[in-house]
C-alpha cells in the first residue's frame, strides 16, 4: 500500500490554503496583535520559530509574500 503523502508546507501560507496571499497577511496581523497585546502567540505566524510573533516575522512574511507575487 502507498503511504499517504505528507502535505506540502508552503512557507508563509499561514491559513494553509496552498498559496501565500492577502488572506495569510490578515491572519498574520491578527496573530501579531494578539501576541503583542496578550502575550498569547499563535505558532502558525511565528515564521522564525522564536516563540513569539514579532516584527521579524512580519519582515520574513513580507519577503515571502512579495516573492510569491
Amino acid at each position: 500500500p502507498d503511504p499517504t503523502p505528507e502535505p506540502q508546507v508552503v512557507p508563509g501560507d499561514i491559513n494553509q490554503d496552498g498559496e501565500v496571499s492577502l488572506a495569510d497577511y490578515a491572519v498574520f496581523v491578527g496573530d501579531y496583535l494578539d501576541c503583542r497585546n496578550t502575550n498569547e502567540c499563535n505558532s502558525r505566524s511565528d515564521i522564525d520559530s522564536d516563540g513569539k510573533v514579532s516584527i521579524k516575522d512580519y519582515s520574513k512574511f513580507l519577503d515571502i509574500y512579495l516573492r510569491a507575487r
Side-chain angles (χ1 to χ4, degrees), residues 30-65:
D31 289 346
Y32 172 79
L33 292 173
D34 285 346
C35 187
R36 186 169 177 211
N37 295 330
T38 67
N39 281 336
E40 292 184 25
C41 303
N42 193 316
S43 63
R44 67 183 172 196
S45 292
D46 182 14
I47 296 171
D48 65 1
S49 301
D50 68 353
K52 58 189 172 191
V53 181
S54 67
I55 197 71
K56 288 193 254 180
D57 297 299
Y58 174 76
S59 179
K60 288 182 182 233
F61 173 80
L62 188 58
D63 183 53
I64 292 167
Y65 174 77

Side-chain angles (χ1 to χ4, degrees), residues 11-30:
D13 181 22
I14 297 168
N15 67 357
Q16 299 180 347
D17 67 354
E19 63 184 17
V20 179
S21 67
L22 287 177
D24 298 296
Y25 176 76
V27 173
F28 177 87
V29 168

